[in-house]
Amino acid sequence: MANVAHIDLLAERVSASARKFIVITAVAGMGKSLLLRKLSKAFDVPVCTTPEADGTATGRAFLWDIPSRAETIAFDEAIFERFERVVIARRPETDVPGIERLIVHGEALFLDDHDLLLPERDPARRYQCGWPVLHGVDLEDPARRHQFKAYIGFEILRPLTAMQLATLWRMFNGHAIAGSAAELPFLPFVERTAEGILSACASGELRGIVREAANEEIGRRMERFEAATPLARALHQSGHTEKAISALQSAGMEEPAVRLFAEAGGVFYIHIDGPDAYARVLSGFSPEISADNETVVIANAMRALKFGETGRAKKLIADRFGRQSLDPMAVFASVAPYSLSFKGFRLVMMIYEDIVITDAMFERLYDYLDELPLEAALLRGSFYNAVLEFYIRQRRFNEAEMAAAQAFSSYRAAGVPLLVFYICVHQAVIRLLSGDATGAGSRIAEARRHMAEVGFESPADARILRLIEACHAYEDGRPQVLIAFINHEFDTFSQAETWPSLVEFALHYGSQALSEHFSTLSALGFLDRWRLHQTHDRQLRFMIEIRAALVMQNGNRWNDAAATLSAMQMRINRTWVEAALDDLARLSMHDEIEVAFAWLRQIVHERPDRAYLDRQISAMIANERVTGRQRRALQIWLAFVLKRTGRATEARAVLQRMFDDAARTGTIAPLQEERRFLGELMGDSRIEGFVSAAGPARRIMKRLSETGIKGRTIEQESGLSRREVRILLMICEGASNKFIAGRLGISESTVKFHLTNLYRKLGCTRRREAIAVARARNWLH
């Protein structure tokens, strides 16, 4: 209550003064208005707050609180002759001709900032009687709370410029308070009272009242168009775009709100202020604007894509721009009547559509790039981001790396860390698909740094980062990280917005981890769960089927794998692969390479001694579109075929190169998946001794053994011949004697002969018991 007592003392000093005129000159917030209200009660007269003195006023005293917006005030002593006391409060910048003469000649009592400061023991810590004098008020009392808010609004906020009000609003809405006095140079008293004001206002209740007052002042200004526009722009420039747009929307000024939304990024605003702010802004537009305005329609379509609702995004676009806007070739035609912004969004939407990008389409897309101004950093970055995705799908990694570098540069120039994060994630995916775990690690670290710069919560993007980190950990021999992600975060991840290249990435690593560390059934169940979420996307369904076939092969369900591959209606089938040679090196379509890869693996298992098989594998290795992971698998198959055909020396050389490359790039996951072939190779003491003589190969082999790669084959563990193992696996899949005979090219009686031998070696008498032994010994993963 000392502050209130000090005001009372000042009021008594003014009342007891022998001088008729009292002039109070002080900056905003020093307590002038509060002192006048005290005097108003003492003299029982109102306070005049108009720019001109009220000539009709009556009473013992005249109290005049000159408004801050007044620059020069006319002073006529004749008006005040009938009053005993005249108290005039003004700011230093307000000129009142005639007052200065009274002050100089001592005819007026002059009070300034110094007089209004509250004396304390430490002269360095003195506080004015304005804003801080109310810190001690009972905020539980609704009336006092209202008075405090009214005081803040009228005395502190109303005189501020648009930018000053925006800065103050920013401070009281989630930004630092303590130590932020430097952000308020427009409040002159802050230098003296920063610690007191800012510390007090850091408290939740007081801070809330100031926030309410600021919101009310913003609402008041938004009622006038001439004040609304500069205030909205100031809020935007101070970093509160959402508040600026929502204020305009609340005031019914939708056109300015749309213009400000477009200036703030439009469709890219979701990456700048986050999905929650993006959703709130879009929901604030009327149905008419939402259905007709190009910027808002595109933004709503982008929001649909982020929710995985590609069909809804297409409908919004078709309703606004016509059905022809769904045809990319029409949109990117040279005479197409679409804006650059719409073309940019249409390109992004192609990422989520079931579209194969042809060379002709790439030409049109690059024509669009030529139309973009050099300073359009977001649009240029968006272009490179989209073509980057297309290049990754087509396994054109060199072009993808160049597009990533361009996108990274553009997004950095635009100053949007979340978009830079996306590019780093893409680069990490490229390196992992290329079999370069070491290079992927540096890009993941960079992605993590840029994610930390994002100024809002983005759970979906944080989840993507955790997936990439988990896959990298898997390459490093730490499968538990990826298993935990699959168990705890898979469902949320699969239902959110995902890029096709990232989905394929998740399919591959997830199914491999479950197959290796749990069972084939759990891996196939994982793929089935993806089917539920990707029922309409042909490319993703194809990826799922290919992965299912490879998982079956890994689990020694080779007949089921062959049936799955045969059911895929494609030009590339088993017959084509068996007859192909140099054509394998020329395959360029991603889907065709994947099918050829799976069929070639099947053939290596079934007929490793087939003529020219080594040349076919070598041709596939030479294919530029084969990933680094696939190339390592192909090298293992080649070594396997060479060993089976009696060329152990060549097999050792191939394996040596493969291990050296794996050690250089820190990649072991492709080797784990080829345990069926690698286990037999390393079970040969001549090959194992030669390969392990080199340090890099020895380190890789140690890591493989730590992650569960078997050092012994089924043949070595069981004592069965290769033919008997083959027959055992086939009966485990339910194959009849007739089917086995046809597949192996032998008679049914020969099949029965082999069955008799394997029953004897396993200690069985019938088929069911042999299957039980195979399962018990984990030969069927």
Side-chain angles (χ1 to χ4, degrees), residues 130-141:
W131 193 347
V133 79
L134 298 173
H135 290 172
V137 301
D138 181 11
L139 295 177
E140 297 295 329
D141 182 352

Side-chain angles (χ1 to χ4, degrees), residues 503-524:
V503 170
E504 182 179 8
F505 186 79
L507 286 173
H508 193 114
Y509 275 94
S511 61
Q512 180 180 344
L514 291 172
S515 175
E516 294 286 344
H517 299 279
F518 287 91
S519 67
T520 300
L521 287 178
S522 64
L524 293 175

Side-chain angles (χ1 to χ4, degrees), residues 474-780:
Y474 190 81
E475 290 285 2
D476 194 42
R478 293 178 286 126
Q480 65 276 9
V481 182
L482 181 56
I483 297 297
F485 182 91
I486 294 170
N487 288 338
H488 301 298
E489 301 196 66
F490 164 77
D491 288 327
T492 306
F493 171 79
S494 61
Q495 295 175 42
E497 172 228 5
T498 44
W499 322 310
S501 62
L502 192 61
V503 170
E504 182 179 8
F505 186 79
L507 286 173
H508 193 114
Y509 275 94
S511 61
Q512 180 180 344
L514 291 172
S515 175
E516 294 286 344
H517 299 279
F518 287 91
S519 67
T520 300
L521 287 178
S522 64
L524 293 175
F526 169 80
L527 295 173
D528 285 339
R529 287 154 71 190
W530 271 106
R531 284 190 180 93
L532 296 175
H533 300 297
Q534 307 295 342
T535 56
H536 304 296
D537 193 314
R538 181 196 62 82
Q539 292 185 63
L540 292 180
R541 289 200 310 273
F542 170 82
M543 295 177 196
I544 292 169
E545 293 305 314
I546 285 291
R547 279 307 302 169
L550 293 173
V551 165
M552 292 173 189
Q553 292 175 346
N554 292 339
N556 280 323
R557 291 173 52 179
W558 294 92
N559 289 338
D560 289 342
T564 299
L565 292 171
S566 297
M568 302 177 72
Q569 302 298 316
M570 295 191 65
R571 176 180 74 93
I572 306 298
N573 53 28
R574 181 173 191 141
T575 302
W576 187 95
V577 172
E578 289 179 334
L581 190 57
D582 293 338
D583 286 343
L584 289 168
R586 290 191 290 267
L587 287 175
S588 60
M589 298 299 293
H590 171 230
D591 294 0
E592 294 182 346
I593 291 175
E594 293 292 329
V595 173
F597 180 86
W599 272 122
L600 201 55
R601 192 177 196 235
Q602 187 83 15
I603 295 167
V604 168
H605 164 73
E606 294 177 357
R607 299 184 60 190
D609 55 352
R610 188 174 183 275
Y612 304 115
L613 183 55
D614 59 328
R615 291 177 57 187
Q616 289 179 299
I617 298 173
S618 296
M620 197 76 171
I621 291 174
N623 191 310
E624 293 182 354
R625 299 289 177 86
V626 167
T627 69
R629 290 175 58 90
Q630 290 173 328
R631 188 165 284 107
R632 286 180 182 73
L634 287 162
Q635 289 171 322
I636 294 172
W637 305 347
L638 178 58
F640 181 82
V641 169
L642 291 171
K643 174 186 176 295
R644 283 291 187 92
T645 54
R647 291 175 283 176
T649 301
E650 295 178 58
R652 292 186 306 188
V654 171
L655 273 184
Q656 184 71 68
R657 289 194 298 271
M658 186 277 298
F659 274 117
D660 287 344
D661 196 32
R664 177 180 55 81
T665 58
T667 305
I668 65 169
L671 282 60
Q672 290 175 300
E673 194 158 32
E674 301 308 322
R675 67 187 186 282
R676 161 72 182 82
F677 306 104
L678 192 58
E680 179 175 324
L681 286 166
M682 302 311 292
D684 186 311
S685 59
R686 295 170 301 172
I687 294 177
E688 193 274 340
F690 176 84
V691 172
S692 62
R698 198 161 52 245
R699 289 195 298 273
I700 290 295
M701 291 168 63
K702 182 176 184 296
R703 289 175 62 188
L704 288 174
S705 65
E706 291 171 350
T707 56
I709 280 287
K710 294 180 179 179
R712 291 168 57 82
T713 64
I714 297 176
E715 290 94 327
Q716 292 168 328
E717 290 186 7
S718 65
L720 300 176
S721 69
R722 291 172 185 162
R723 176 62 58 85
E724 289 165 352
V725 169
R726 182 83 184 280
I727 292 174
L728 174 61
L729 295 177
M730 293 177 77
I731 67 171
C732 287
E733 293 186 77
S736 65
N737 289 354
K738 182 177 181 180
F739 179 88
I740 295 171
R743 175 58 60 87
L744 299 182
I746 58 179
S747 66
E748 287 190 58
S749 60
T750 303
V751 173
K752 292 178 182 178
F753 171 76
H754 287 304
L755 282 172
T756 300
N757 284 337
L758 74 87
Y759 291 160
R760 176 177 52 80
K761 293 177 181 178
L762 296 179
C764 305
T765 58
R766 63 185 69 184
R767 184 180 297 232
R768 182 181 302 172
E769 292 175 359
I771 294 172
V773 170
R775 288 176 175 165
R777 296 187 181 182
N778 202 29
W779 295 337
L780 304 175

Side-chain angles (χ1 to χ4, degrees), residues 410-432:
S410 296
Y411 285 153
R412 283 289 297 272
V416 184
L418 183 60
L419 293 174
V420 181
F421 160 80
Y422 290 155
I423 303 306
C424 294
V425 167
H426 272 105
Q427 290 173 319
V429 168
I430 292 171
R431 284 161 174 74
L432 285 172

Side-chain angles (χ1 to χ4, degrees), residues 120 315 459 606 689 694:
E120 292 204 1
K315 185 178 187 307
E606 294 177 357

